Amino acid sequence: MKKISLIILFVCSVILITAQDATTDKVQADTLQTNNEQKKIQDKGSYLTIGAGIGPTGLNYTLQGLTSDGTNLIKLGGNAIIGYSYYFNKNWGIGAGLGASYYKSTGKYKGDFVENEFLSLGIQIDDDNISGGPVDYELRVRLANWQERQIAYFFEIPVLLQYQTKFGKKEKIGMYFNLGAKFQIPIKAKYEVIDGKYYNDEKLNVSGYYNSAGMDLGSPNNPSLVYHSFGSIHNPNERLGWNDDINIKMSIAGTAGLGLIFGLSPRVDMMLGAFIDYGFNNVKKGESKPLFIAPEKYLSGNTNYVGKNIEYSGMVNSDKIDKANLFSYGAKIGIRIKLNKSEKQATVDTVYIERIIVDTLIKEVEKAQPVIYEPSYTLSYVIPPAEEVKQRSDTYSANLNFEVAKSEILQNYKNNEEVLREIDKIITEIQKDTNLTVTKFKIIGYSSPDGNTQNNMTLSEQRAKAFVKYLQDNYGIDPRYLDVEWEGEDWKEFRKIIEEANIQDRAMILKILDTENNPDRIRTKLKELSGGSTYRILLNDYFPRLRRNEYTIAYIARAFNIEEAKQMIKTKPQYLSLNEMFLVANSYPSGSKEFKETFDIAVRMYPDDPIAQNNVAALDIEDGAYNRGISRLENIDLPETWNNIGVAYAEQKQYILAEEFFEKAIKAGVKEASKNLEEMKKQIESNQ
């Protein structure tokens, strides 16, 4: 709004200068008439007006919340009109016209994901048989800093009562006022969800609450299960196509305008002023829908697609908005031409308008343009060192079911067939991957805490060795690469599961685990809870998860050239070193979408690496996210980092802090810091 006000003030100044200079201009001398002729022209008559307005416009509404109310912001829009006016006398007249307008607004739900704040889409059925049969779950949706953009175009018919008056002997300057109604007929209206800029700027979370297990899969406090369509995404519009038409109807609005008249010639005036339009009626059309509509079956076919098939209605179309009306205000400029004049007079007026508007405005802009030095700062990107041997490892869990007190792996026992199929997929894929060289298979066996501690240790050993034999028999794994261990009862993992569970006596279970060290005493106290019912739940629902073999596959990834790395970063970014990712980023134009996405992937793959953090922070600063960039860099001790922090502070005009970091970087030998300090000093001098 501040920029708009400055533009209006500047245009007013230019027009005043134009009107003043025009009194001595040669064109005026060719078109001057006597005072009697001027008065005659200003009496009753017809005018043609061509005008345009600019200012905040949009759909005005109250956005009801999912868990708290949202906000509505109107954005910069505009209108254009061709109008006809007829004045009964020197002051009063009526007018009508045809025009078009552009409205833009944004609806927002602020805040981050909250575990216990969600929109329920009802009960669904999960029949993928992982749990042994169909299971009911509640489909939940959460939003984080959610924004929706609404754009609408209207055809307008204004009907106005108009008043004008002019001042002074020559009546070169005057004032106008109009009041009336507008009939605004919709041409097109659309909404679209605004996606997050980066992967970590997540907007949508979809989770499933399984009451039988007391777990909310994919919720903000739980790991994403993308293969099961639960988790969070940053780009729902791009991925799900959440944009469509807004159902709106004709608006009847009140309109008012007030401004100044500048006489450019006896028959041509420039109009400069302000306007306001307010729609009286609700433009929502049709029956309101829920904001989100669940599909008949969300998990159909394991879509691997968070939010797939969920319908998004748009805010204005939904039951979250009861009433929406049009609202706009701003600055308006136009040219008004007196009709019923000779062809010669029209030619003179046209020449006059062109010269006044084009020549004078250009000259005044050049004279008024302030000389402010715009600094050009250079950010420091650090080249990561090459990784000679890219040693990697991935850990998986094999939750095989065994008969009581036995260690034989039975393929058809319970859900073992599915578990073994997943193991086969993982190992076969790694063995066939020519980009990898496997260096070790490490297996660790665990047992659940029920039963006898010594027997459980023996069982975990036997079951780990049985799993090793299965790998050797089915995949021909060289014994030299195999490393087998067993841990027995896994109390640590048990406590972690209980801490995240929704189970009766949860607090007492955690207290027992934290205060007792003897396994037998722990078991005894657990059996006493709620008359033994809690222990039976543990036996059936929680202990089986602890009977497992974890296997870690260590491997070396080969080196990749630029073109290979460009493809690999899309599918297997963990195979790339930070140096290879840096080279991929620099193969794209600086600041391009691919350039930024590559650095974003690098920091997600190497979140604790200071070089990765420095480079992505440099991107933040380049994009104007200065505080986020500083936050990333404040705990990193690299000379290039000091230069980047200095740039962030300099861009925010915090010159003392900027100089401190530039000086620190200069002492460490960062050449960019010397140039940046000089640029900053030039800017400071130009502002004085």
Side-chain angles (χ1 to χ4, degrees):
M1 290 308 300
K2 183 178 179 182
K3 289 183 178 179
I4 296 171
S5 301
L6 290 173
I7 292 170
I8 293 171
L9 290 173
F10 174 70
V11 173
C12 288
S13 300
V14 173
I15 293 170
L16 286 171
I17 293 169
T18 300
Q20 187 177 27
D21 290 345
T23 59
T24 58
D25 194 74
K26 184 178 183 299
V27 177
Q28 184 194 35
D30 294 335
T31 59
L32 278 177
Q33 301 178 9
T34 65
N35 290 338
N36 290 333
E37 289 174 327
Q38 289 180 8
K39 290 177 181 178
K40 184 177 179 181
I41 291 173
Q42 290 168 352
D43 284 340
K44 63 181 183 179
S46 302
Y47 292 85
L48 178 69
T49 302
I50 302 172
I54 185 171
T57 67
L59 291 166
N60 185 44
Y61 51 79
T62 299
L63 180 59
Q64 301 171 20
L66 304 179
T67 55
S68 61
D69 286 345
T71 59
N72 163 233
L73 299 175
I74 59 176
K75 298 290 187 178
L76 190 65
N79 58 61
I81 188 171
I82 298 176
Y84 172 83
S85 303
Y86 180 79
Y87 279 81
F88 305 108
N89 54 44
K90 186 175 179 179
N91 300 115
W92 291 96
I94 58 173
L98 298 175
S101 57
Y102 168 69
Y103 286 78
K104 183 177 180 182
S105 55
T106 301
K108 293 184 178 181
Y109 285 119
K110 296 182 180 179
D112 298 321
F113 294 135
V114 178
E115 182 76 12
N116 296 323
E117 295 182 2
F118 55 85
L119 181 66
S120 175
L121 300 190
I123 301 300
Q124 298 267 327
I125 296 177
D126 182 353
D127 57 0
D128 60 7
N129 292 322
I130 292 178
S131 306
V135 178
D136 291 346
Y137 71 95
E138 182 185 25
L139 185 61
R140 296 176 171 181
V141 167
R142 298 173 182 83
L143 306 179
N145 294 316
W146 188 262
Q147 297 187 57
E148 177 190 300
R149 182 186 296 114
Q150 299 114 18
I151 295 175
Y153 299 89
F154 288 85
F155 175 72
E156 298 186 336
I157 304 174
V159 179
L160 304 170
L161 175 65
Q162 299 176 319
Y163 174 83
Q164 70 170 5
T165 184
K166 292 190 175 182
F167 315 118
K169 291 182 179 180
K170 295 183 179 181
E171 298 186 342
K172 300 293 294 183
I173 299 176
M175 184 190 82
Y176 74 88
F177 171 76
N178 57 57
L179 182 68
K182 274 187 178 181
F183 300 90
Q184 299 174 292
I185 303 167
I187 301 172
K188 185 177 182 181
K190 294 189 71 67
Y191 70 84
E192 65 173 356
V193 172
I194 301 175
D195 289 340
K197 195 171 185 180
Y198 300 103
Y199 288 96
N200 58 4
D201 187 12
E202 294 172 335
K203 299 292 183 182
L204 174 70
N205 173 265
V206 180
S207 68
Y209 180 74
Y210 289 72
N211 189 54
S212 59
M215 297 186 70
D216 195 0
L217 301 182
S219 70
N221 291 352
N222 289 300
S224 292
L225 298 177
V226 178
Y227 66 89
H228 218 51
S229 302
F230 294 140
S232 302
I233 57 175
H234 77 290
N235 54 346
N237 185 25
E238 179 184 349
R239 294 284 297 240
L240 307 175
W242 280 0
N243 56 82
D244 207 347
D245 293 335
I246 303 174
N247 296 322
I248 56 176
K249 59 188 177 183
M250 185 176 77
S251 168
I252 300 175
T255 181
L258 177 67
L260 298 176
I261 303 171
F262 299 93
L264 304 182
S265 81
R267 292 185 178 274
V268 178
D269 297 321
M270 178 174 283
M271 321 285 283
L272 182 66
F275 73 94
I276 183 168
D277 296 338
Y278 184 85
F280 294 121
N281 64 310
N282 184 4
V283 297
K284 283 194 63 170
K285 180 180 178 182
E287 185 177 351
S288 295
K289 301 178 181 179
L291 186 60
F292 294 91
I293 301 175
E296 182 177 349
K297 189 174 183 182
Y298 178 64
L299 294 180
S300 176
N302 283 340
T303 60
N304 292 325
Y305 219 144
V306 173
K308 185 66 178 288
N309 296 327
I310 293 177
E311 181 182 345
Y312 180 77
S313 303
M315 294 176 178
V316 178
N317 295 336
S318 77
D319 54 11
K320 300 301 177 185
I321 294 175
D322 294 326
K323 178 182 178 182
N325 62 294
L326 299 183
F327 179 59
S328 65
Y329 64 93
K332 199 156 192 173
I333 188 170
I335 294 294
R336 188 178 70 170
I337 302 171
K338 180 73 185 300
L339 301 178
N340 303 323
K341 58 180 180 288
S342 67
E343 183 177 346
K344 180 179 179 181
Q345 181 64 49
T347 303
V348 172
D349 289 342
T350 302
V351 173
Y352 195 88
I353 293 168
E354 290 177 352
R355 198 187 68 76
I356 293 296
I357 293 176
V358 178
D359 295 347
T360 308
L361 281 177
I362 291 174
K363 291 177 182 178
E364 294 303 326
V365 168
E366 290 174 349
K367 288 191 290 183
Q369 182 66 39
V371 181
I372 299 175
Y373 184 77
E374 292 294 337
S376 176
Y377 296 117
T378 304
L379 292 159
S380 298
Y381 289 87
V382 180
I383 302 175
E387 195 175 345
E388 293 185 9
V389 178
K390 294 188 290 181
Q391 184 72 53
R392 304 285 187 270
S393 65
D394 296 318
T395 299
Y396 307 92
S397 183
N399 291 88
L400 293 163
N401 291 284
F402 296 90
E403 293 181 328
V404 177
K406 293 185 179 181
S407 60
E408 182 182 1
I409 297 176
L410 301 176
Q411 183 171 353
N412 296 322
Y413 185 65
K414 293 188 176 181
N415 70 326
N416 281 357
E417 184 175 358
E418 186 171 350
V419 175
L420 292 172
R421 192 184 305 119
E422 182 66 21
I423 293 169
D424 178 74
K425 178 183 176 183
I426 292 169
I427 295 179
T428 301
E429 182 179 334
I430 289 176
Q431 287 184 327
K432 288 182 178 180
D433 195 334
T434 57
N435 296 310
L436 308 179
T437 301
V438 177
T439 58
K440 180 182 286 189
F441 281 84
K442 182 176 181 179
I443 294 91
I444 303 177
Y446 296 94
S447 66
S448 59
D450 51 317
N452 178 274
T453 299
Q454 184 56 47
N455 290 341
N456 287 337
M457 179 64 76
T458 302
L459 270 177
S460 69
E461 176 186 359
Q462 293 172 347
R463 290 171 178 173
K465 290 180 177 178
F467 186 55
V468 169
K469 185 176 183 304
Y470 176 84
L471 295 178
Q472 289 179 305
D473 292 345
N474 288 275
Y475 304 102
I477 297 174
D478 193 324
R480 292 176 300 171
Y481 298 147
L482 287 166
D483 182 9
V484 60
E485 297 178 6
W486 48 91
E487 298 288 341
E489 298 169 352
D490 193 356
W491 290 102
K492 183 177 179 181
E493 182 66 18
F494 175 61
R495 191 195 187 287
K496 182 179 177 182
I497 291 174
I498 295 300
E499 193 171 29
E500 298 175 353
N502 182 18
I503 184 176
Q504 66 182 32
D505 296 323
R506 174 178 170 276
M508 288 302 300
I509 296 172
L510 293 174
K511 183 177 180 181
I512 292 169
L513 294 174
D514 291 340
T515 56
E516 293 289 347
N517 294 321
N518 185 286
D520 292 328
R521 285 182 59 80
I522 294 174
R523 275 187 284 268
T524 299
K525 289 191 174 185
L526 291 176
K527 291 175 181 178
E528 294 172 352
L529 295 174
S530 297
S533 64
T534 299
Y535 193 74
R536 286 192 292 274
I537 294 173
L538 293 175
L539 282 173
N540 293 328
D541 297 337
Y542 293 91
F543 285 171
R545 305 184 207 174
L546 302 172
R547 302 166 194 151
R548 70 197 190 284
N549 290 305
E550 286 190 354
Y551 57 104
T552 300
I553 304 174
Y555 55 86
I556 296 173
R558 72 173 180 87
F560 300 96
N561 61 38
I562 295 291
E563 294 306 316
E564 291 173 329
K566 281 184 176 182
Q567 299 304 315
M568 194 60 63
I569 201 168
K570 300 174 183 177
T571 56
K572 297 285 185 180
Q574 65 269 29
Y575 290 2
L576 299 179
S577 67
L578 194 57
N579 177 267
E580 288 169 324
M581 291 184 180
F582 183 88
L583 296 176
V584 168
N586 278 276
S587 69
Y588 297 114
S590 179
S592 65
K593 179 182 176 183
E594 295 82 1
F595 180 84
K596 295 177 180 179
E597 284 183 348
T598 303
F599 278 120
D600 188 50
I601 294 171
V603 81
R604 285 191 289 109
M605 298 303 302
Y606 298 91
D608 299 323
D609 190 285
I611 293 178
Q613 288 288 349
N614 176 83
N615 291 343
V616 81
L619 275 179
D620 289 337
I621 295 167
E622 189 173 333
D623 288 340
Y626 306 122
N627 290 333
R628 184 167 64 193
I630 292 171
S631 178
R632 288 184 188 273
L633 298 174
E634 58 189 1
N635 294 320
I636 299 176
D637 195 26
L638 289 174
E640 292 83 1
T641 292
W642 303 331
N643 174 64
N644 292 343
I645 294 175
V647 171
Y649 281 129
E651 291 283 14
Q652 297 180 91
K653 295 182 171 48
Q654 298 185 46
Y655 298 126
I656 296 175
L657 285 171
E659 184 174 5
E660 177 184 334
F661 280 96
F662 284 148
E663 292 287 3
K664 191 175 179 182
I666 291 170
K667 290 179 181 178
V670 180
K671 294 180 180 179
E672 296 93 338
S674 298
K675 174 183 174 294
N676 289 337
L677 184 58
E678 292 176 6
E679 289 288 297
M680 186 182 75
K681 289 180 177 179
K682 289 178 182 178
Q683 185 184 35
I684 294 171
E685 290 173 1
S686 71
N687 289 333
Q688 291 176 347

